[in-house]
Amino acid sequence: MDEIVDLVTRSLADETAAEFTERVDEQAMQLRRAIEAGEFDNEAFSVGLEIELYAINAEPDPPEPDEGEDSEAVSEEDLDDDLSGSGAAAWSGSLDAPAEQDGGSGASLDPDAGGSLESDGSLEPTEGESPDRDTDEAIEDAGDAFGPGEGPSLDIDPDSPLADDEPETPEDEPEPAVESSVADGTDDEPYMDPEDWRGRLTRLPDVVFEGEANKELGLHNAEVNTEPNSFDETGMEVQTTAVEMQTKQARQQASEHNCELVLDAMWTIPPEEGSEQYLSAHETRDGVVLADNMRQAPRYVALDNEALDNADGSIDFDVPGYSGSFPTILFESLATSIQPHLQIPDAGAFPEYYNAAIRTLGPLLALSVNSPFLPADMYDDTDGEWLCANTHHELRIAAFEQSVNTSENPKVRVPRDLDDTTDVVGRVVDDDLFAPFLREFLHDDDRAAFEDEFWEFDHKRGTYWRWLRCVVGGTAVEGASTERSLRIEYRPLPTQPHVKDMIGLQALTVGLIRGLVVADHPAAELPWQEARQSFYSAAEDGIDADLSWVTAEGERTADHDEIYDEVFQYARLGLAEQDVPEARIDEYLGPIEARYDAGTTPSDWKVDRVRQSLDDGEDLSTAIQSMQRDYIEASREHHSFDEWL
């Protein structure tokens, strides 16, 4: 722990900021020159996916203690993770901590363009702001990563130089599993009534991360990342298989330790100690705040302390039905997401793809919303019917923005359009500085590879949180790219109930962006302000949001049928352009099209379930927890969300 406190103190020192800024400026100049010289042009498109999950209690009997787990101090090797907040085996996007490998995410966007959440809870934007590769062989490599600095939320990829931490369970705190009371001549019984115990948030033991799961911000969080593959028929097949295999392995590993990993966007059944206490528990050591239930990775701790310092020690969180304040950024860990990645081979065309992608944020978020409720115990005397009518359909947007938007220029917001590809470098340079680290804090070897050469830039890119951002650099993809590449990280989508739903959204996202550009669709002619407003309207109202679009004929429209006819049409075109067969396209997009046809998203399903329970006489807290248990059960029984309808 002393090593972490020392690193955080050094990170936040004025002299570190000055030296870090000088290095970032030098590295940015080199990157601009390399982009202009064509060094970031590649052979083909590639895709990848990051998936965040959370853990709940799975069985009423306590797990056996993990052999070999102890509470020894963090070793120097443990500290030597990825400072950039990304992971090599995947593409992350949270506070950005990596996933126990090497990775690299990017960023872009001017500091004067963005959206923040008003204190009344309204979502008002702030002014300013390989084809020839055998599928089985590719699957075997699915644990590799894209590049340095991968890593949304406040994510630091579990594979990042700063991601390693202390034991998952606080030193003097028992594993949060329910104890059993055993008496002679009686059967074992759970300490709590099973109905009160089932599905509660729980911390994950370290052993769970020995498999496919990677560490994330909260001790209850995990992340699964696919290796990037070429964007074609084979690559999409490998992506599908990798997501299925890796989520299954991670969940099986967790089940062996009394936990279940849930595919959901926000946990609502609180841990035994209560949500606010869990999210607020902390200690202060030598002036450094250490959140009890946050992974004790130096980068996370430094980011937490930076944000707290900007907010004078307390960070407000306001959404419909709840208003409170927290002494750490850990409330960001309420939410989980998925982040599709699309690497663009022609660096010169990157702005065209990026600007088109901004126009898709509202329509795609509206289809995927899945977090209308906070943990049940965070609502005191809130009227249930009022909450169902007024809550936002995607509370993850509010949780992430409010947890880290504590500096002068909000770091989490909808990005501005790009005029030139090198803007992706300049926007990282101009972004507010958060918790800088110097490479020698963690490494004593010479800089050799690409990720070493641009280490400080990549670290800053890891704190460039926009709902759409650019990743500069990454792991080479056979048949598609070298480590010098540019890709779009698509960050606002919440985690979905099933693997099939997540693959569907990945295909819809990358297919739509590719299709709009290949068809020279005029979507990017929609004024940026309207695209931003569509995004925040989708966060508030979901499928009923006020959306704006420009049709293929260049006409402005707010008609949902016109908008989604083109959304699915051009996603199909983009996938077909990448040689994905029509039958496969139907399989990928069918479940998402079905939810649109039914006019029901996972968030709508949740609100309807809570309303039904309220009508049956349950109080709000009971209704939310009943809904959550029904959600978990439905996710076990079905294969895609449209089967619930």
Side-chain angles (χ1 to χ4, degrees):
M1 188 64 72
D2 289 340
E3 294 97 327
I4 293 176
V5 171
D6 178 63
L7 276 172
V8 171
T9 301
R10 295 170 69 188
S11 169
L12 303 181
D14 290 343
E15 53 269 28
T16 296
E19 178 62 24
F20 181 88
T21 298
E22 182 177 342
R23 295 185 190 182
V24 168
D25 289 344
E26 293 174 354
Q27 293 164 18
M29 186 178 301
Q30 297 177 53
L31 287 171
R32 290 190 186 98
R33 290 171 178 166
I35 291 172
E36 291 172 343
E39 295 178 20
F40 281 78
D41 291 334
N42 283 284
E43 299 177 45
F45 292 87
S46 61
V47 293
L49 185 64
E50 303 170 40
I51 301 167
E52 297 170 353
L53 312 88
Y54 64 80
I56 59 170
N57 288 321
E59 299 294 338
D61 296 319
E64 294 297 323
D66 290 329
E67 291 186 14
E69 270 197 285
D70 55 42
S71 56
E72 291 181 10
V74 181
S75 68
E76 185 173 335
E77 180 179 353
D78 290 331
L79 295 175
D80 189 18
D81 239 337
D82 173 20
L83 270 181
S84 65
S86 63
W91 298 332
S92 283
S94 265
L95 254 196
D96 297 318
E100 292 168 13
Q101 291 161 353
D102 300 326
S105 298
S108 69
L109 311 201
D110 21 333
D112 60 338
S116 63
L117 286 158
E118 299 296 329
S119 59
D120 63 359
S122 63
L123 281 162
E124 283 302 316
T126 302
E127 286 304 319
E129 240 274 49
S130 109
D132 59 345
R133 186 181 187 185
D134 182 82
T135 300
D136 293 334
E137 177 186 346
I139 293 173
E140 291 177 6
D141 297 333
D144 298 338
F146 207 90
E150 267 36 292
S153 323
L154 286 188
D155 32 337
I156 295 184
D157 251 68
D159 286 353
S160 179
L162 274 188
D164 273 350
D165 50 306
E166 295 214 321
E168 309 315 358
T169 306
E171 194 165 310
D172 296 319
E173 194 168 344
E175 187 71 22
V178 178
E179 299 178 5
S180 296
S181 174
V182 182
D184 291 340
T186 63
D187 295 332
D188 292 357
E189 295 181 355
Y191 180 73
M192 283 189 283
D193 185 287
E195 282 304 306
D196 294 331
W197 182 91
R198 234 177 6 117
R200 286 186 177 275
L201 188 77
T202 192
R203 303 166 185 83
L204 286 162
D206 276 341
V207 68
V208 172
F209 300 101
E210 294 176 1
E212 295 297 342
N214 299 308
K215 298 173 183 178
E216 253 290 348
L217 180 69
L219 296 182
H220 56 277
N221 291 136
E223 183 174 88
V224 169
N225 300 310
T226 66
E227 175 195 5
N229 301 106
S230 57
F231 183 16
D232 51 24
E233 177 183 3
T234 300
M236 289 302 297
E237 295 281 359
V238 174
Q239 286 288 303
T240 300
T241 303
V243 173
E244 290 173 344
M245 292 174 61
Q246 291 177 219
T247 55
K248 181 178 181 179
Q249 194 278 347
R251 297 174 88 171
Q252 287 178 335
Q253 186 81 347
S255 70
E256 294 174 3
H257 298 276
N258 215 51
C259 305
E260 179 174 354
L261 285 170
V262 179
L263 293 173
D264 191 14
M266 184 168 286
W267 50 274
T268 58
I269 302 180
E272 187 173 358
E273 63 265 45
S275 299
E276 290 183 312
Q277 181 177 345
Y278 178 88
L279 295 170
S280 300
H282 69 282
E283 64 171 306
T284 301
R285 185 176 299 188
D286 294 335
V288 173
V289 174
L290 299 160
D292 291 359
N293 296 302
M294 180 186 294
R295 209 162 296 289
Q296 297 302 299
R299 182 174 181 276
Y300 286 138
V301 178
L303 290 171
D304 192 13
N305 281 265
E306 184 85 76
L308 285 170
D309 185 59
N310 291 335
D312 296 325
S314 184
I315 303 175
D316 295 334
F317 182 39
D318 294 278
V319 293
Y322 179 80
S323 180
S325 186
F326 291 89
T328 94
I329 60 173
L330 189 60
F331 69 88
E332 189 273 339
S333 71
L334 283 167
T336 54
S337 66
I338 62 173
Q339 293 109 41
H341 288 241
L342 176 63
Q343 180 229 297
I344 313 301
D346 180 0
F350 191 89
E352 188 177 3
Y353 284 92
Y354 191 85
N355 297 343
I358 292 174
R359 275 70 189 173
T360 70
L361 292 173
L364 296 194
L365 180 62
L367 277 176
S368 61
V369 288
N370 192 24
S371 58
F373 297 109
L374 297 176
D377 61 341
M378 292 177 72
Y379 299 111
D380 292 329
D381 299 322
T382 304
D383 178 77
E385 290 294 339
W386 178 91
L387 183 64
C388 288
N390 291 279
T391 189
H392 296 160
H393 279 264
E394 192 46 54
L395 291 174
R396 174 184 180 252
I397 305 303
F400 190 24
E401 290 196 351
Q402 294 185 36
S403 63
V404 294
N405 279 351
T406 62
S407 61
E408 182 177 355
N409 301 296
K411 296 178 72 68
V412 187
R413 59 182 190 253
V414 174
R416 288 279 188 179
D417 289 336
L418 289 174
D419 295 322
D420 187 85
T421 306
T422 57
D423 290 346
V424 302
V425 176
R427 291 181 177 183
V428 172
V429 173
D430 294 338
D431 198 40
D432 287 355
L433 182 60
F434 257 45
F437 277 77
L438 303 178
R439 186 176 182 275
E440 59 266 28
F441 287 1
L442 300 174
H443 304 276
D444 57 8
D445 58 330
D446 294 333
R447 298 181 187 241
F450 175 89
E451 61 266 29
D452 299 322
E453 184 178 1
F454 301 102
W455 198 93
E456 281 80 7
F457 178 88
D458 190 56
H459 177 69
K460 188 171 185 183
R461 185 272 317 152
T463 70
Y464 183 85
W465 302 298
R466 300 296 191 274
W467 292 116
L468 193 71
R469 68 180 183 182
C470 172
V471 179
V472 181
T475 299
V477 179
E478 183 178 349
S481 69
T482 68
E483 63 182 2
R484 292 176 178 254
S485 61
L486 299 173
R487 70 180 184 271
I488 293 171
E489 180 186 22
Y490 204 95
R491 298 165 57 80
L493 304 181
T495 299
Q496 301 295 295
H498 301 277
V499 166
K500 198 169 183 178
D501 299 314
M502 295 185 293
I503 289 294
L505 279 176
Q506 178 191 29
L508 178 62
T509 301
V510 298
L512 178 57
I513 296 171
R514 176 69 174 125
L516 291 174
V517 176
V518 75
D520 198 24
H521 190 286
E525 294 179 6
L526 180 72
W528 176 83
Q529 292 85 351
E530 292 187 35
R532 182 181 65 173
Q533 185 55 47
S534 289
F535 172 74
Y536 286 104
S537 180
E540 288 191 16
D541 301 321
I543 199 68
D544 296 322
D546 292 329
L547 303 175
S548 298
W549 188 256
V550 171
T551 68
E553 290 74 33
E555 301 292 331
R556 300 272 286 277
T557 184
D559 182 85
H560 278 208
D561 288 337
E562 287 187 310
I563 294 172
Y564 284 104
D565 280 349
E566 292 205 350
V567 164
F568 291 115
Q569 175 188 347
Y570 285 90
R572 288 175 173 275
L573 173 64
L575 292 167
E577 181 71 16
Q578 297 306 119
D579 298 324
V580 179
E582 184 176 356
R584 270 307 199 195
I585 295 175
D586 291 340
E587 185 176 339
Y588 293 142
L589 300 186
I592 311 302
E593 290 173 317
R595 67 170 67 173
Y596 175 72
D597 292 340
T600 303
T601 63
S603 178
D604 292 313
W605 184 93
K606 289 179 175 180
V607 172
D608 288 345
R609 281 300 173 112
V610 170
R611 281 199 175 108
Q612 291 173 22
S613 294
L614 292 172
D615 290 343
D616 290 340
E618 292 185 355
D619 59 57
L620 178 59
S621 179
T622 302
I624 291 176
Q625 295 186 66
S626 296
M627 171 277 294
Q628 187 66 71
R629 293 186 175 108
D630 288 345
Y631 175 101
I632 295 170
E633 190 62 33
S635 69
R636 294 175 181 142
E637 295 177 350
H638 301 289
H639 298 92
S640 61
F641 175 70
D642 62 299
E643 295 179 4
W644 302 19
L645 307 178

